[in-house]
Amino acid sequence: MKYAGKSRMRELFLMLNSLAMFEVGAETVSIAEELMLNYNLLPNDALILATCKYYGIKYLASLDTDFERVCEAEKVTLINNPEKAGEIRF
C-alpha cells in the first residue's frame, strides 16, 4: 500500500471528525433484535439500521447488499452508488 502523504491523511481525519456519533442504548438494541428476527440480518447490520430508525436518519450509505431489501421495507433510503447520492435533496 502506498503512503498517501500527510496532507491526504489530514483531509481524511478532518472528514472523520465531521461525522456524527450516535449512542446505542437499550431501545436501539431492542429495535436491532426485531430487525434480526424479521429480516435475518447479522447483528452489526441490524444495529446500523436500528440506529437509523431510532434517530430518524433517512439515508444510509452502504455497498452492503444485505441492506437492499431491508431499507426499502423500513423506509430508509439506501445510497449504494454515486448516482443515487447525487439525487439526495435535503
Side-chain angles (χ1 to χ4, degrees):
M1 184 169 121
K2 185 178 177 182
Y3 180 65
K6 286 184 181 181
S7 64
R8 188 76 174 130
M9 293 301 287
R10 205 171 288 126
E11 287 178 39
L12 175 64
F13 283 107
L14 284 172
M15 182 191 70
L16 290 174
N17 284 329
S18 70
L19 297 176
M21 299 293 177
F22 296 95
E23 185 174 324
V24 175
E27 192 167 340
T28 307
V29 171
S30 178
I31 295 168
E33 288 176 25
E34 288 180 36
L35 293 169
M36 288 172 61
L37 293 172
N38 292 341
Y39 300 107
N40 198 30
L41 286 176
L42 294 171
N44 56 324
D45 291 346
L47 279 171
I48 291 167
L49 189 56
T51 303
C52 290
K53 290 179 57 74
Y54 181 79
Y55 287 101
I57 298 168
K58 297 178 185 179
Y59 302 99
L60 173 61
S62 177
L63 297 177
D64 187 337
T65 57
D66 291 341
F67 287 118
E68 288 175 355
R69 62 185 168 78
V70 180
C71 281
E72 185 176 345
E74 293 296 325
K75 310 289 190 270
V76 174
T77 301
L78 178 63
I79 306 301
N80 57 2
N81 63 56
E83 291 79 27
K84 255 194 162 170
E87 296 171 5
I88 296 175
R89 300 290 177 254
F90 294 98

